[in-house]
Amino acid sequence: MVPPTTDVIDTPAGAIECLRVASGADPARGSFILLHGIQGTAASWSAVAARLGGERVILMPNLRGRGRSLSPPSPEAYTLAHFAADLHAVIEAAPAPVTLVGWSMGVLVALSYLSRHDPARLDGLVLASGTACAGTEALWFHSDSHEGLAEEARLRAERLALSAYATPVAVAGAWQSVRNADLSAALAGIVLPTLVLHGAEDDQCPLAHGRRIAEGIAGARLDVWPGAGHNLMAQDPERFAQALLRLYAAARGDMLAATQ
C-alpha cells in the first residue's frame, strides 16, 4: 500500500487529522471512512486499509484527542455528540458515496451521527464489535478516577494490540459518555445496507450486543466470527477487508441497476 497522506479538515471546534489513501482511486466511486475505537487511532486500520485495493478513497480520521487533531483539555469535550460532529465534517469532505465503518466505540459514534444527520451521502454501514447501549455488560473500564482510567487504558491497549492510542483525558471523557449512552432507538431509523461483524468470544462487548444491533436495523446481516475477540481488524484484516468490499460491491450494483 502507498503510505497515506494527511488531510486536515477544519471544523468549528478545530482541526481533525485524517489519513487518506487515494493513489489510483477514482473519487467518483466514493470512499470508505474507517472509525477507530475509544482508545484507538487511525493506525488501528492500517492492516485493513492495505487490503482494500485502490478503487476507492480510504479515509481514516483521528477523532479529537488523537494524533494532530484538536485535543481539548477537559473530559467534557469528548462526548459522543462531539465525536459525531467531528465525523460529520469528515463525511462532508469525503468523496461520496461513503461506506461508513465503525469499530467498538466507532459504532456508537456512527449511530450518534446517524441520529443527528441526513445519511444521504452514505451507501452502506459496517458496525464491528460494538453496542448501541453499553449497559452493565460492555465494561471497557472500571475505574472512576483519571489516574485509574489511564492505567486501565494502557493495559487494554496492550491486550488489543493497539500501536497508538488516545490521550488519557480523551479516554476518560469518552468513557463517561459511552457508559451513559443508549442509542437503541436510532437503530429503527437506519435504512442503509448494514453489515454487523462480531467476534463470538468478544470479552469487551459480548456477542449479544451485536445481535441486538442486527435485530434492530431492518435488513441488517450479522456475521459472527467463531473464536474471535474484540479486535477483529488485528485478528484477521483480510477477512475484514473482504467483508467491506463485498458490501460495497452489492451497494454499487444496486446503484448501477437504479440508473439503468
Side-chain angles (χ1 to χ4, degrees), residues 22 38 51 53 67 71 86 126 142 147 158 173-174 178 188 195 201 203-204 209-210 215 217 227-228 244 252:
I38 192 167
R51 292 164 169 82
S71 293
D86 295 345
V126 179
H142 297 84
E147 296 80 7
E158 291 178 359
V178 163
L195 174 62
E201 307 302 325
D203 64 344
Q204 300 287 302
H209 289 257
E215 291 165 359
I217 300 174
L244 304 193
R252 181 166 171 78

Side-chain angles (χ1 to χ4, degrees), residues 157-177:
E158 291 178 359
R159 290 197 307 274
L160 295 179
L162 301 178
S163 59
Y165 37 92
T167 63
V169 69
V171 174
W175 177 235
Q176 181 66 33
S177 182

Side-chain angles (χ1 to χ4, degrees), residues 55-115:
E55 185 172 304
R56 303 185 90 190
V57 175
I58 303 167
L59 297 172
M60 298 167 281
N62 272 322
L63 301 178
R64 59 182 61 204
R66 295 150 179 86
R68 288 182 282 178
S69 295
L70 70 143
S71 293
S74 169
E76 287 72 27
Y78 296 92
T79 66
L80 289 172
H82 288 110
F83 291 129
D86 295 345
L87 173 59
H88 177 61
V90 175
I91 289 176
E92 289 299 299
V98 169
T99 301
L100 180 60
V101 184
W103 170 63
S104 195
M105 185 192 77
V107 170
L108 283 163
V109 175
L111 295 178
S112 184
Y113 167 82
L114 289 167
S115 73

Side-chain angles (χ1 to χ4, degrees), residues 38 80 104-105 107-109 111 129-142 156 174-185 187 198 203-210 212-213 230:
I38 192 167
L80 289 172
S104 195
M105 185 192 77
V107 170
L108 283 163
V109 175
L111 295 178
S129 310
T131 182
C133 178
T136 59
E137 298 171 332
L139 293 177
W140 301 336
F141 302 101
H142 297 84
R156 184 174 182 269
W175 177 235
Q176 181 66 33
S177 182
V178 163
R179 67 182 179 180
N180 292 319
D182 186 351
L183 289 165
S184 303
L187 300 176
H198 219 102
D203 64 344
Q204 300 287 302
C205 188
L207 175 57
H209 289 257
R212 285 196 285 269
I213 290 175
H230 192 60

